[in-house]
Amino acid sequence: MTVVHNLGVDVISYHAWNKDRTEVAVCPNNNEIQIYKHSYSGWKLLDTLQEHDMHIMGVDWAPRTNRIVTCSADKNAYVWTQGKDGKWNPAWVLLRINRAATCVKWSPLENKFAVGSGGRVIAVCYFVSENNWWLCKHIKRPLRSTVTTVDWHPDNKVLVAGSTDYKVRVFSAFISDMEDAPGTCAWGTSNTLGTLLAEFPNTNNGGGWIHSVAFSQCGNKICWVAHNSSICVADASKGNVVYRLYTEHLPFLSCIWVGPNSIVATGHSCMPMLYSIDDNGQIYFVSKLDNMQKKETAGLSAMRKFQSLDRQARNDSNDNALDSIHQNTINCIRLMSDNEFSTSSLDGQLVIWDLKSLENSIAGLKIV
């Protein structure tokens, strides 16, 4: 079952869920974060986080520690904690960057997070209890352009980043001040922060900015999507071999793994696309995951639609609605559970997709 939620905002740039998925943080394309709680009567606005001076570029919610991290074009990041009164209080992060903060992601253990920036720097941030603040250490080389996306390996000590220099890079994110020695990893091991473990250029077929990167659940594979409408997978267990597929769709902006060999990508085509990897490592298109019931999902029966058209003195030929649930670019996707993921779009809609129900409704669809 696909569920559409309308929070009353015109645009959603980013969203992030709390642990039990009863609350969501959304950015309505400005310098605010709005916290909504879901109940039987609908969505209720609980709080508005107003500390940034410029456009918010990323938000992430740590489910176990219940902390929200935000970053902005104002070169700042804040960690928000909820007080006993239910209000969210910001703690400033000492980023030491001279360009916009462009993306942010909590590590799996939620004891640090990574912030990408337009200053060719990744700030790996951690809490210093003695000073009661968030400090960072920088990864600089060999970054040559804006860092647009980051993701963490499951072991909490390796980081992948994509940037506008058309490259995906895997770094050691080990911080000796707060962690034990790094363990073994398919991408390599280093006890020095910023050690380059792997680098993958995306210069074939004209190249393209890297919009999103994601580690697989096992951590041995990386998926990324770029502005040249490509989707790529690198496999460390097979000598860092890279598999590429150049699609016929508009560029993707986000991607997630929904199984050991399945990827969902979203972007300018306004609907989620499912891709899989076969035993030979080749990427192939499986299906569009839109259930093609946009009008009914949005609560409009055919009768109500024609009544609305009549009242507005319009005819059907002027109806520019897309034949999909989302009516604009999908720019954020979040994995909610093994069987569910959510998407938010420039149309202001928040949609929850159930993979099991999609398997039953789309002939031949199989999530692997």
Side-chain angles (χ1 to χ4, degrees):
M1 181 179 180
T2 302
V3 182
V4 178
H5 297 286
N6 290 287
L7 307 181
V9 296
D10 294 331
V11 172
I12 299 178
S13 298
Y14 309 97
H15 75 279
W17 296 93
N18 70 340
K19 183 177 181 179
D20 60 6
R21 318 304 183 191
T22 59
E23 297 180 15
V24 64
V26 301
C27 176
N29 203 35
N30 56 20
N31 64 333
E32 298 178 350
I33 292 290
Q34 297 178 355
I35 309 295
Y36 288 87
K37 184 178 181 62
H38 188 259
S39 65
Y40 292 108
S41 59
W43 290 93
K44 178 183 178 181
L45 179 63
L46 296 181
D47 204 352
T48 300
L49 313 186
Q50 297 175 310
E51 195 69 26
H52 289 289
D53 297 325
M54 299 179 70
H55 191 88
I56 288 178
M57 303 296 290
V59 58
D60 200 19
W61 198 326
R64 292 188 296 275
T65 56
N66 196 36
R67 294 182 297 206
I68 298 173
V69 61
T70 58
C71 69
S72 166
D74 63 10
K75 311 172 192 175
N76 291 319
Y78 293 96
V79 175
W80 303 79
T81 55
Q82 194 171 28
K84 295 181 179 179
D85 58 356
K87 294 295 182 180
W88 290 87
N89 304 305
W92 184 58
V93 182
L94 186 60
L95 284 183
R96 298 183 291 115
I97 58 176
N98 58 9
R99 295 291 188 273
T102 53
C103 55
V104 64
K105 189 71 179 287
W106 282 106
S107 69
L109 295 182
E110 302 175 10
N111 58 351
K112 56 186 177 180
F113 57 88
V115 179
S117 80
R120 301 179 294 178
V121 167
I122 301 172
V124 181
C125 308
Y126 59 102
F127 188 68
V128 180
S129 57
E130 293 83 359
N131 299 323
N132 195 32
W133 64 2
W134 291 86
L135 198 60
C136 80
K137 293 189 175 182
H138 284 171
I139 299 174
K140 295 181 178 180
R141 297 180 179 177
L143 296 168
R144 295 185 177 89
S145 190
T146 298
V147 178
T148 53
T149 175
V150 293
D151 195 29
W152 287 90
H153 189 278
D155 75 353
N156 206 69
K157 297 173 184 178
V158 173
L159 185 73
V160 62
S163 60
T164 57
D165 61 5
Y166 300 3
K167 290 185 178 180
V168 171
R169 298 179 176 94
V170 182
F171 295 100
S172 168
F174 173 73
I175 298 180
S176 58
D177 296 351
M178 56 168 291
E179 295 180 294
D180 297 330
T184 58
C185 170
W187 298 98
T189 302
S190 173
N191 57 7
T192 303
L193 177 76
T195 300
L196 183 65
L197 303 178
E199 182 177 88
F200 306 103
N202 194 68
T203 54
N204 295 343
N205 200 32
W209 291 4
I210 310 300
H211 287 305
S212 180
V213 292
F215 272 111
S216 62
Q217 287 88 339
C218 67
N220 291 342
K221 299 175 184 176
I222 296 171
C223 170
W224 67 86
V225 292
H227 201 67
N228 61 349
S229 299
S230 65
I231 179 168
C232 306
V233 172
D235 192 339
S237 65
K238 297 182 179 179
N240 289 359
V241 63
V242 178
Y243 305 101
R244 305 177 189 272
L245 177 66
Y246 299 99
T247 75
E248 60 183 8
H249 304 295
L250 295 175
F252 298 117
L253 299 179
S254 298
C255 63
I256 58 169
W257 292 84
V258 293
N261 296 301
S262 296
I263 301 159
V264 175
T266 60
H268 292 288
S269 293
C270 306
M271 59 179 66
M273 311 280 186
L274 178 66
Y275 291 84
S276 285
I277 308 169
D278 62 22
D279 294 337
N280 297 320
Q282 300 303 309
I283 307 170
Y284 62 94
F285 176 72
V286 178
S287 177
K288 297 178 181 179
L289 296 183
D290 201 305
N291 64 9
M292 310 306 287
Q293 295 175 347
K294 168 182 64 67
K295 299 178 179 62
E296 293 184 18
T297 307
L300 282 176
S301 66
M303 178 63 73
R304 289 180 59 194
K305 175 185 176 181
F306 284 114
Q307 289 173 344
S308 175
L309 292 174
D310 182 62
R311 284 194 301 270
Q312 299 176 38
R314 295 188 294 115
N315 58 53
D316 207 25
S317 62
N318 293 326
D319 187 0
N320 294 321
L322 300 176
D323 195 15
S324 60
I325 293 176
H326 280 298
Q327 295 295 289
N328 208 326
T329 299
I330 301 173
N331 51 4
C332 186
I333 183 171
R334 296 279 186 175
L335 187 66
M336 301 179 64
S337 67
D338 291 340
N339 298 320
E340 287 184 314
F341 67 91
S342 61
T343 56
S344 59
S345 166
L346 298 181
D347 63 5
Q349 293 189 110
L350 178 67
V351 181
I352 298 175
W353 308 79
D354 188 325
L355 291 169
K356 288 299 182 183
S357 67
L358 290 171
E359 279 188 339
N360 296 330
S361 62
I362 301 177
L365 178 62
K366 182 66 175 177
I367 311 294
V368 293

